[in-house]
Amino acid sequence: VTAEVLTVDNDQANVVIEGTGVEGVLTLRELTNDRDADINDFVKTGDTVEVLVLRQVVGKDTDTVTFLVSKKRLEARKDKLVGREGEVVTVKGTRAVKGGLSVEFEGLRGFIPASMIDTRFVRNTEKFVGQEFDAKIKEVVPAENRFILSRREVVEEKAAAARKEVFSKLEEGAIVKGKVARLTSFGAFIDLGGVDGLVHVTELSHERNVSPKSVVSV
């Protein structure tokens, strides 16, 4: 989650989680492995930081609920993604954002540009929010907080595999079943499961000058 630093006192920073009003505690130990470090070298009041929520903490004398958060462990998770470029993983769409879609993978926030969501440019990315789907890791730069994925490449690869399988089974003279995908003035295109076949208007009916839409429907 994204959090704003409210105060820095001794070896801990008090933060508020963006958009919730819920407070959290970010200790020096969850910022660095150097026990002798100065916490002020890492965070200052007013800073915005991305942190990993570790667990809920209930105050002893009050009913106040806060959360222990960590910047160090989040960065460790991101480092584990380095070298995994090209790997296909299952992500979940979390939020439609400017220019694309925000997704979640193993507790990390990733981004899929609108041009990489599908084979055609997607303007309305809201329909992917809450959905789980496969995407390919394209770029990981922990230092710049960059984690970019592509769903389009996965879709294209699956479509190519489907086409290859269909073509391997097609032969002249075979009778096949398909679904009418679209109509044109010169015939009907039939989806055979990844490959579109054309039934020319002259092959739709024995009648002459027939309109494709009078013979079949999408």
Side-chain angles (χ1 to χ4, degrees), residues 81 84-87 89 135-140 147-149:
L81 289 176
R84 295 177 65 179
E85 289 87 350
E87 183 178 335
V89 296
K136 181 179 287 188
I137 298 175
K138 295 294 295 178
E139 185 179 1
V140 181
F147 177 26
I148 310 297
L149 305 100

Side-chain angles (χ1 to χ4, degrees), residues 161-171 195:
R163 286 194 297 271
K164 185 176 181 180
E165 183 178 358
V166 172
F167 272 117
S168 70
K169 296 177 181 178
L170 288 178
E171 57 182 28
V195 174

Side-chain angles (χ1 to χ4, degrees), residues 71-72 76 85 106 129 177 197:
K71 190 170 185 290
K72 180 181 71 175
E85 289 87 350
E106 294 185 356
V129 175
K177 185 177 290 186

Side-chain angles (χ1 to χ4, degrees), residues 134-207:
D134 289 342
K136 181 179 287 188
I137 298 175
K138 295 294 295 178
E139 185 179 1
V140 181
V141 186
E144 298 179 11
N145 202 28
R146 285 173 62 83
F147 177 26
I148 310 297
L149 305 100
S150 171
R151 176 180 176 272
R152 185 189 69 200
E153 289 191 23
V154 175
V155 173
E156 288 174 342
E157 288 173 5
K158 287 182 177 179
R163 286 194 297 271
K164 185 176 181 180
E165 183 178 358
V166 172
F167 272 117
S168 70
K169 296 177 181 178
L170 288 178
E171 57 182 28
E172 293 180 21
I175 297 174
V176 295
K177 185 177 290 186
K179 183 179 290 187
V180 180
R182 62 188 187 280
L183 300 176
T184 67
S185 60
F186 54 83
F189 284 92
I190 315 298
D191 180 6
L192 301 176
V195 174
D196 280 356
L198 170 66
V199 180
H200 193 267
V201 64
T202 57
E203 297 294 339
L204 278 171
S205 172
H206 289 290
E207 297 179 20

Side-chain angles (χ1 to χ4, degrees), residues 6-18:
L6 299 176
T7 60
V8 180
D9 187 26
N10 295 325
D11 284 339
Q12 74 174 40
N14 296 306
V15 304
V16 60
I17 298 172
E18 188 179 76

Side-chain angles (χ1 to χ4, degrees), residues 43-218:
V43 289
K44 292 178 175 60
T45 300
D47 284 354
T48 299
V49 293
E50 194 173 42
V51 293
L52 177 69
V53 178
L54 299 180
R55 63 176 181 275
Q56 193 178 81
V57 181
V58 181
K60 293 180 180 179
D61 303 321
T62 66
D63 293 330
T64 303
V65 176
T66 58
F67 289 86
L68 181 63
V69 298
S70 175
K71 190 170 185 290
K72 180 181 71 175
R73 298 192 209 192
L74 180 63
E75 290 171 348
R77 279 194 182 184
K78 289 181 179 178
D79 288 338
K80 289 182 180 178
L81 289 176
V82 175
R84 295 177 65 179
E85 289 87 350
E87 183 178 335
V88 176
V89 296
T90 301
V91 302
K92 183 176 183 178
T94 55
R95 191 157 57 106
V97 295
K98 184 178 180 180
L101 180 71
S102 182
V103 298
E104 182 270 333
F105 171 65
E106 294 185 356
L108 298 176
R109 184 182 303 169
F111 177 68
I112 302 180
S115 61
M116 294 185 181
I117 293 176
D118 211 337
T119 51
R120 294 181 180 179
F121 184 81
V122 177
R123 294 190 181 276
N124 180 20
T125 58
E126 287 281 355
K127 62 182 180 179
F128 291 96
V129 175
Q131 286 191 26
E132 288 191 350
F133 52 85
D134 289 342
K136 181 179 287 188
I137 298 175
K138 295 294 295 178
E139 185 179 1
V140 181
V141 186
E144 298 179 11
N145 202 28
R146 285 173 62 83
F147 177 26
I148 310 297
L149 305 100
S150 171
R151 176 180 176 272
R152 185 189 69 200
E153 289 191 23
V154 175
V155 173
E156 288 174 342
E157 288 173 5
K158 287 182 177 179
R163 286 194 297 271
K164 185 176 181 180
E165 183 178 358
V166 172
F167 272 117
S168 70
K169 296 177 181 178
L170 288 178
E171 57 182 28
E172 293 180 21
I175 297 174
V176 295
K177 185 177 290 186
K179 183 179 290 187
V180 180
R182 62 188 187 280
L183 300 176
T184 67
S185 60
F186 54 83
F189 284 92
I190 315 298
D191 180 6
L192 301 176
V195 174
D196 280 356
L198 170 66
V199 180
H200 193 267
V201 64
T202 57
E203 297 294 339
L204 278 171
S205 172
H206 289 290
E207 297 179 20
R208 291 189 175 185
N209 301 319
V210 69
S211 170
K213 65 182 179 180
S214 68
V215 182
V216 293
S217 302
V218 173

